[in-house]
Amino acid sequence: MGADELARAIEQVKVRLSVTTARLHAGGASAEAGILEAQVLMLEDPALLDGARVLVIGGTPADVAVAQTMAPFAAMLRASPDPVFQARAADVDDVVEQVRRALHGLSDVPPLPLQPSIVVARDLAPSQTAGLDRTLVVGFATEQGTATAHTAILARALGLPAVVGIPGLVDAVADGQPLLLDGDEGTVLVDPPPDAIPHLGTRATLVVDAEPAITRDGRRVEVGSNAANLEDAQRAAAAGADGIGLLRSEFLFLGSDQLPTEDEQVAMLEAVTEAMGARPVILRTLDVGADKPLPALPQPPEANPALGVRGLRLQLLRRPDLLADQVRAALRVAAKHPLRLMFPMVSTLEEVRQAKAILAAAAKDVNAAGANGPRMPVGIMVEVPAAAIGADLLAREVDFFSLGTNDLTQYLFAADRTNPELGPLADSLHPAVLQMIDQVVKAARRHGRWVGVCGEMASDLWAVPLLVGLGVDELSVHPPMVARIKATVRQLNAADCAEVAAAALELEGGQAVRHLLEQRHLEPSSLRPRTDR
Ligand code: PEP
Ligand code: MG
């Protein structure tokens, strides 16, 4: 590996860091973006470049040359009496490691989990932490690091609970084992006893707010929670969520090489609905495919899995029997609990009609068995642009819409949501996304339907005034965000938000929308609850 490869690798790392920096700036985490900017400066330092190049020309392998050139700098920081400088040594090591990985063509981002998970690692570099997909990583715990290390600071900026510095953790935890992570206490409980979970509600980890979220001018916004399993539902209940706005049913199917029976599904759904009591739970039918493989349901590989046979498509095209089992289980539970059903990845009216036909047949079976109850409300995820554009027709067929802004943004910009380099492109505050949402809400209103948002956008404090202004009825967020989002809603005036949202629809891009929010004092720092300031 010569000087040219070294120059290319350094350039590659600089580009990647600059992209992540832009994403952090866009998310309002400017102080944290500065950490990665400092790393870019290191890579532009002529002392480093020249020193490493000389070593490479002298025959030293490029990765060793970079490590040797940076070592004195890291050592100097480590020897400083100031803990702030000591922590910066890890940032230098991180830069060296990033260049090494780029030289060897290794990925910089840890492999993604299949369901929302806590990442457990010996160490995570700041650049890796910043690259974590927040839709799948709900927190992390590492053996190395300190609370003042940039990795932990970045985690806070990204809103991820993190515990660092637990020796022996990686060997103590198996893949898939339940963990209770308490970012405030700095504790990780492996295999927590069930009775440990409700106690979270009385601790600072989970701020509890069961009061309704009503804007200053009297508009109620439901603040529900997303859940991927029973523990999430228990946390959501403890946090005071108004319901479960998205129950990702994949969890019922993961972790086993057997598909769950209808009775097993009923038992799991009953546990979740019982945890929520009188509050509604929206069950999303299985959303898997080649992009989210299921051990129990192997599918042939596809060239473009995100555009392939996933979600409702898989159920209708290949496994209507699975959909029938799932909706029968849902109907049985809905007879006793406020359960609603939602289909993912809908593109056309025809798909909704087919799914409803399967539901109607299942309802006959359930009625024949005497387990019928009140009619179960049925909705769809609006996450494919064709569904957003066709919302007026679709609204005639369903009771509600839930905007899956993660996929809607991905498909609208044709930007793979797992590719960090495209993060800034797929900006959910871009007026193109806002226009889609506006269109969907207006179509829903014409037919007397309600609209929720269950993508990450609902947990984004920048987006809340816009979503309220566009007339969204429900926000479904991460359990720890429930109280914060409710507090934010209470500080808003819905009529003012509507005016700002209407203006945002006409702007040039996401940054212009953020500037408008700042001008109108609707950015996250102005909306922070008084007690946090
Ligand atoms: C979405 O696409 O916004 C969504 C909520 O679904 P998922 O993230 O599970 O694809
Ligand atoms: Mg989706």
Side-chain angles (χ1 to χ4, degrees):
M1 260 179 282
D4 285 351
E5 280 88 352
L6 176 61
R8 258 200 303 278
I10 288 179
E11 199 47 43
Q12 191 183 328
V13 174
K14 272 170 49 186
V15 168
R16 207 183 297 136
L17 284 170
S18 306
V19 167
T20 313
T21 304
R23 187 151 59 90
L24 288 169
H25 275 304
S30 300
E32 292 73 17
I35 297 168
L36 303 191
E37 276 162 356
Q39 291 189 324
V40 173
L41 287 179
M42 286 179 213
L43 290 169
E44 287 172 348
D45 183 343
L48 160 73
L49 298 185
D50 294 346
R53 205 174 296 127
V54 167
L55 287 173
V56 170
I57 293 168
T60 307
D63 49 357
V64 179
V66 174
Q68 281 182 5
T69 323
M70 295 297 264
F73 185 28
M76 189 183 77
L77 289 167
R78 220 165 255 122
S80 160
D82 184 337
V84 174
F85 282 112
Q86 287 168 15
R88 291 316 73 90
D91 301 346
V92 179
D93 293 343
D94 179 26
V95 166
V96 173
E97 176 61 14
Q98 288 182 64
V99 174
R100 188 187 73 78
R101 298 183 79 82
L103 279 165
H104 293 283
L106 299 170
S107 161
D108 221 38
V109 182
L112 281 177
L114 294 176
Q115 57 178 327
S117 303
I118 296 170
V119 171
V120 174
R122 292 208 198 280
D123 201 8
L124 281 172
S127 55
Q128 290 177 315
T129 314
L132 293 174
D133 178 346
R134 284 204 42 198
T135 59
L136 289 172
V137 176
V138 294
F140 67 82
T142 61
E143 291 192 352
Q144 287 161 27
T146 65
T148 54
H150 278 144
T151 302
I153 297 171
L154 274 170
R156 281 194 288 275
L158 297 168
L160 292 174
V163 177
V164 296
I166 305 189
L169 182 67
V170 169
D171 292 335
V173 180
D175 216 10
Q177 198 167 10
L179 288 186
L180 187 62
L181 179 83
D182 185 333
D184 288 345
E185 291 286 321
T187 55
V188 176
L189 205 56
V190 182
D191 277 329
D195 63 344
I197 293 156
H199 293 317
L200 275 180
T202 61
R203 301 241 302 275
T205 321
L206 202 63
V207 182
V208 180
D209 184 345
E211 297 302 312
I214 299 171
T215 62
R216 293 204 329 260
D217 51 346
R219 220 186 90 203
R220 169 91 194 256
V221 179
E222 303 276 332
V223 180
S225 180
N226 293 351
N229 49 41
L230 177 58
E231 288 75 26
D232 283 351
Q234 287 166 330
R235 283 198 308 156
D242 298 328
I244 298 289
L246 168 64
L247 178 62
R248 290 182 159 100
S249 67
E250 296 81 78
F251 81 96
L252 288 168
F253 294 75
L254 286 165
S256 160
D257 48 14
Q258 301 271 313
L259 292 169
T261 63
E262 185 185 316
D263 286 347
E264 282 166 347
Q265 295 190 53
V266 167
M268 291 297 290
L269 289 177
E270 271 179 346
V272 169
T273 46
E274 272 160 20
M276 294 307 291
R279 292 171 275 183
V281 173
I282 301 181
L283 170 72
R284 178 175 77 179
T285 62
L286 192 58
D287 185 15
V288 297
D291 64 327
K292 285 192 223 168
L294 258 195
L297 196 63
Q299 299 297 308
E302 290 175 315
N304 292 301
L307 303 179
V309 184
R310 59 168 290 201
L312 186 62
R313 300 168 182 188
L314 187 146
Q315 297 175 327
L316 293 177
L317 293 171
R318 296 186 183 157
R319 296 299 302 264
D321 58 314
L322 275 190
L323 182 59
D325 280 357
Q326 203 172 11
V327 297
R328 261 196 308 271
L331 285 160
R332 283 168 57 189
V333 176
K336 289 185 248 150
H337 301 277
L339 186 71
R340 300 166 176 170
L341 191 73
M342 172 159 82
F343 300 116
M345 276 298 287
V346 169
S347 310
T348 66
L349 191 60
E350 194 47 38
E351 286 170 334
V352 178
R353 288 189 176 145
Q354 285 174 21
K356 282 179 66 183
I358 291 173
L359 176 64
K364 269 199 192 135
D365 296 347
V366 172
N367 286 352
N372 54 318
R375 195 182 78 84
M376 175 174 61
V378 177
I380 56 166
M381 300 271 299
V382 177
E383 50 188 348
V384 176
I389 293 168
D392 201 65
L393 284 173
L394 292 165
R396 296 161 209 240
E397 293 287 335
V398 295
D399 300 298
F400 64 90
F401 289 145
S402 186
L403 285 149
T405 47
N406 307 336
D407 277 320
L408 185 61
T409 309
Q410 149 166 279
Y411 296 130
L412 197 54
F413 291 101
D416 180 349
R417 68 192 253 196
T418 65
N419 184 341
E421 210 172 339
L422 300 177
L425 178 62
D427 181 356
S428 56
L429 258 57
H430 192 286
V433 179
L434 304 180
Q435 285 170 26
M436 287 256 124
I437 297 174
D438 183 48
Q439 197 170 331
V440 171
V441 173
K442 284 182 176 147
R445 287 282 167 279
R446 282 195 286 276
H447 297 276
R449 310 301 188 220
W450 63 267
V451 181
V453 175
C454 63
E456 284 302 295
M457 193 177 179
S459 297
D460 178 352
L461 294 166
W462 283 92
V464 172
L466 296 166
L467 295 173
V468 169
L470 291 170
V472 161
D473 303 281
E474 178 231 35
L475 301 169
S476 189
V477 305
H478 296 288
M481 289 298 286
V482 166
R484 186 72 195 274
I485 298 290
K486 284 190 174 185
T488 300
V489 168
R490 288 187 197 117
Q491 294 188 47
L492 299 174
N493 181 301
D496 289 350
C497 289
E499 197 196 299
V500 172
L505 293 174
E506 309 292 325
L507 295 176
E508 284 181 3
Q511 282 309 359
V513 172
R514 287 181 181 85
H515 287 145
L516 172 67
L517 290 166
E518 277 166 352
Q519 278 165 8
R520 302 293 302 258
H521 305 293
L522 290 171
E523 80 282 16
S525 54
S526 291
L527 294 173
R528 196 173 297 159
R530 305 230 155 256
T531 48
D532 277 25
R533 283 186 204 172

